[in-house]
Amino acid sequence: MRWTRRANAFWDGLAQHFSMPGLLLGSLFFTLSLTPSLLPRTESVQGILSGCCFAVGYGAGNLVHWLWGFLGLRVPPGRVTRAMGMVVAFVGLALVLMALGYANTWQNSVRAVMLLPPVDHSQPLIIAGVALPVAASLVVVGRLLVMLIRLVWDWLARHLPRRAALVLATALVVIVGAVLVNNLFWRTALRAADAFYERLDALVSTQDAPPAEWSQTGSAQSLIDWDTIGKDSRIYVQSGPDAERIAAVTGKPAIEPLRTYVGLRSAPNVEARAQLALDELLRIGAFERSVLVLIMPVGTGWVDRAGIDTLEMLHGGDVASVAMQYSYLTSALSLLVQPEYGTETARALFDVVYAHWTGLPPESRPRLYLYGLSLGALASQNSTTVYDVLGDPFDGALWAGPPFSSSIWSRVTDSRQPDTPYWLPRFGNSSAIRFMNQSGTATWDDVPWGPMRIVFLQYASDPIVFFSFTADWQRPQWFDTPRGPDVSPALNWYPMVTFLQLALDTALSQTAPVGYGHVYSPHDYIDAWYEVTQPPGWTRDQLEALKRAIDPDDYAPFPP
């Protein structure tokens, strides 16, 4: 009897401090959080995600528990409630232990399709150790918010009916909290981030002297001051293959490629920067090359070397390219805070270059292409409309890893042929727009291209491309079979949990190995650029030899 009384007291105390429905739903969310998503996760990252998922599930279950009592619905007698609490506790514990037991299997299913080694056997213990304090901290924060709502509710209940006072108290706490977070914390953090990335953009080695070659941006002859472009910009200008390197790799004659970069500090406004870009292109003879590419970099101004090096290799260096910076922030922050900046810059650069290009004789001018990765692909898509170039269209575009919010990509994907998957669609008769992944052109129909060639290069495992805000309550179409070759066959959709998994995948998209996620391989760029620009003198065997000569691991992911 004494043991029974102590057990009953223990369960009554547990039920008094914790919501049993909250613990059950939290345990379920924790379990589902360990299932595969698009990208592999480290133990620490998985622990943070699982802790957050438990807290979200606990909060949802606790809300249902409270509403049940608030609405005056009947509750089973004490013994039954106590027994139900014991069952819930044991079921929740069993779910957590089972999930941790399967954690390695689920994680390895993601790693296997990306040719990564299995995780360490100790991973479940680390996940649990990280998840526990994260979940506890978030539950405490949630309780503090509930306490605040109760305080305001009790005060308002003196003047209003209790239910009306509750609704008003909840609304007041939410609104005031949102205003404080947005105006005080969020904006302050953004200003600090912008200042930090601006300083980082200017942070270069003291030994980093301006280039000596007259054609390079920042040289003594350049119209663009070396001090006005940042670290990532300088890497783009100086890191490309020279003629000797191109000839050695391809076995074909080569000339020096031309690269131009205009930074945010290079001119006072976007129109002046666009004009400066054109003036620099004219100075170095860019319009005398066979290929001219307008590049939109990612948020920080970084340009993917894999995307440009491969193009220059294919054309023996007979390429001129220009990039124009539009932000100091990372792509994720730029997309949230200032997405219009990229579009404004892309349009200004396209308009001034296109106006000059259309004034040249068609038989002697370079072929004009657009290129962008990630947020740069979004901005590049918005640089013009097809109606503005129908009379004299540019030659094509390569857009790699287009963000899920890209308007052209979304319209084309939604209008795909019904028998094609969401992650690799076919659009129309495939004469103007095509999609490519790691399989290259293997899935393409034998259809001739039209006058403009546009290729979307995307991986099925890229969360930047396939994230969706509606994944919280709606199963994304790319979950349908067949699945992409780089997506775990064990991946499933779960309301709320899948959204949190994809949100984390999006934030960490650059942590994938080269050729997966949001890290695009030079081998796939070779296939894409070959289709878009049709460089002369290449056979399929020569293209494969070029791929073998380029090590994908030499191209690191871009900074977050």
Side-chain angles (χ1 to χ4, degrees):
M1 291 294 294
R2 183 178 300 175
W3 181 87
T4 303
R5 285 196 298 271
R6 288 180 178 178
N8 290 340
F10 171 78
W11 289 111
D12 290 342
L14 187 66
Q16 183 179 358
H17 291 89
F18 295 97
S19 164
M20 290 298 115
L23 289 176
L24 181 60
L25 196 56
S27 300
L28 179 61
F29 275 34
F30 176 92
T31 299
L32 297 179
S33 73
L34 292 169
T35 61
S37 59
L38 288 179
L39 299 181
R41 294 188 288 267
T42 65
E43 301 92 331
S44 299
V45 170
Q46 180 64 65
I48 293 171
L49 172 65
S50 297
C52 292
C53 286
F54 177 89
V56 170
Y58 182 85
N62 194 22
L63 177 61
V64 172
H65 188 189
W66 177 84
L67 281 174
W68 187 278
F70 181 75
L71 295 175
L73 300 176
R74 294 184 62 181
V75 178
R79 290 183 178 179
V80 176
T81 300
R82 189 179 300 119
M84 290 175 61
M86 294 179 184
V87 172
V88 165
F90 283 119
V91 169
L93 181 60
L95 280 173
V96 169
L97 293 177
M98 180 200 70
L100 290 173
Y102 277 98
N104 285 0
T105 301
W106 287 329
Q107 191 58 219
N108 286 335
S109 74
V110 181
R111 300 176 69 86
V113 296
M114 298 186 180
L115 306 180
L116 294 173
V119 297
D120 190 87
H121 292 294
S122 63
Q123 176 170 274
L125 295 177
I126 300 175
I127 292 173
V130 174
L132 183 60
V134 171
S137 300
L138 292 176
V139 169
V140 168
V141 170
R143 288 192 168 189
L144 291 176
L145 287 175
V146 170
M147 289 175 59
L148 181 59
I149 291 174
R150 286 185 178 277
L151 287 174
V152 178
W153 181 19
D154 290 341
W155 182 80
L156 290 175
R158 303 171 190 169
H159 313 283
L160 298 170
R162 286 190 60 79
R163 284 186 171 84
L166 173 61
V167 173
L168 184 57
T170 303
L172 285 174
V173 171
V174 170
I175 292 173
V176 172
V179 169
L180 287 176
V181 169
N182 183 58
N183 292 336
L184 181 60
F185 302 109
W186 176 243
R187 293 184 182 275
T188 301
L190 287 178
R191 283 195 294 268
D194 189 56
F196 169 77
Y197 283 112
E198 182 176 3
R199 289 193 299 270
L200 186 63
D201 185 66
L203 182 62
V204 293
S205 171
T206 55
Q207 299 177 351
D208 191 13
E213 182 64 34
W214 69 272
S215 61
Q216 288 187 296
T217 298
S219 66
Q221 297 85 1
S222 176
L223 303 176
I224 302 169
D225 194 324
W226 184 243
D227 292 334
T228 65
I229 65 174
K231 183 178 181 181
D232 289 334
S233 317
R234 297 183 181 192
I235 292 174
Y236 160 71
V237 169
Q238 296 182 306
S239 66
D242 57 16
E244 182 179 357
R245 167 65 177 164
I246 294 173
V249 172
T250 64
K252 300 173 182 288
I255 60 176
E256 295 291 339
L258 299 176
R259 294 187 176 189
T260 297
Y261 197 102
V262 179
L264 272 174
R265 299 188 303 275
S266 299
N269 54 60
V270 65
E271 292 80 11
R273 289 191 288 273
Q275 185 60 48
L276 181 60
L278 176 62
D279 293 342
E280 182 74 355
L281 291 174
L282 292 171
R283 181 189 73 82
I284 62 177
F287 290 91
E288 299 169 13
R289 293 299 174 98
S290 297
V291 171
L292 175 60
V293 183
L294 307 186
I295 302 171
M296 278 293 105
V298 300
T300 58
W302 182 84
V303 176
D304 188 5
R305 293 187 301 117
I308 300 303
D309 288 4
T310 50
L311 175 66
E312 294 169 344
M313 292 277 188
L314 287 170
H315 288 272
D318 193 12
V319 176
S321 58
V322 56
M324 203 163 119
Q325 188 180 13
Y326 53 87
S327 174
Y328 295 118
L329 297 174
T330 63
S331 290
L333 289 176
S334 294
L335 189 61
L336 290 172
V337 180
Q338 45 184 216
E340 71 283 356
Y341 286 10
T343 295
E344 182 184 12
T345 298
R347 286 177 178 170
L349 178 62
F350 179 85
D351 287 346
V352 70
V353 173
Y354 180 76
H356 180 83
W357 180 77
T358 53
L360 299 175
E363 65 276 3
S364 60
R365 70 190 183 189
R367 286 175 287 158
L368 181 62
Y369 298 97
L370 309 183
Y371 165 68
L373 166 69
S374 191
L375 187 59
L378 171 62
S380 185
Q381 289 176 63
N382 294 331
S383 59
T384 188
T385 66
V386 66
Y387 308 107
D388 292 333
V389 298
L390 277 176
D392 194 359
F394 59 92
D395 292 274
L398 173 56
W399 292 317
F404 61 93
S405 57
S406 304
S407 57
I408 295 178
W409 175 87
S410 297
R411 288 197 300 270
V412 170
T413 301
D414 290 340
S415 303
R416 68 191 182 279
Q417 295 180 16
D419 60 337
T420 58
Y422 191 87
W423 47 270
L424 193 63
R426 289 195 193 98
F427 173 71
N429 62 5
S430 299
S431 63
I433 299 177
R434 301 183 187 183
F435 291 78
M436 180 182 289
N437 63 2
Q438 299 96 328
S439 62
T441 62
T443 61
W444 287 7
D445 294 329
D446 188 16
V447 176
W449 280 98
M452 181 187 294
R453 300 180 177 216
I454 296 175
V455 169
F456 286 100
L457 176 60
Q458 60 189 45
Y459 298 150
S461 57
D462 188 348
I464 296 293
V465 179
F466 295 109
F467 176 79
S468 172
F469 285 108
T470 62
D472 215 351
W473 66 88
Q474 186 177 30
R475 186 176 186 268
Q477 297 182 56
W478 50 266
F479 274 82
D480 298 338
T481 54
R483 293 278 179 84
D486 47 336
V487 173
S488 168
L491 176 66
N492 286 298
W493 175 76
Y494 306 103
M496 297 180 69
V497 175
T498 296
F499 173 82
L500 294 175
Q501 289 178 318
L502 292 178
L504 183 62
D505 285 344
T506 300
L508 302 176
S509 59
Q510 75 282 356
T511 61
V514 177
Y516 302 94
H518 201 54
V519 186
Y520 287 85
S521 170
H523 294 176
D524 299 321
Y525 272 121
I526 289 173
D527 287 334
W529 276 126
Y530 178 80
E531 290 298 325
V532 172
T533 64
Q534 286 293 285
W538 286 90
T539 65
R540 177 51 58 182
D541 288 342
Q542 290 174 329
L543 290 174
E544 294 303 318
L546 177 59
K547 292 180 185 178
R548 290 192 296 269
I550 297 176
D551 185 359
D553 291 335
D554 290 340
Y555 293 87
F558 65 79

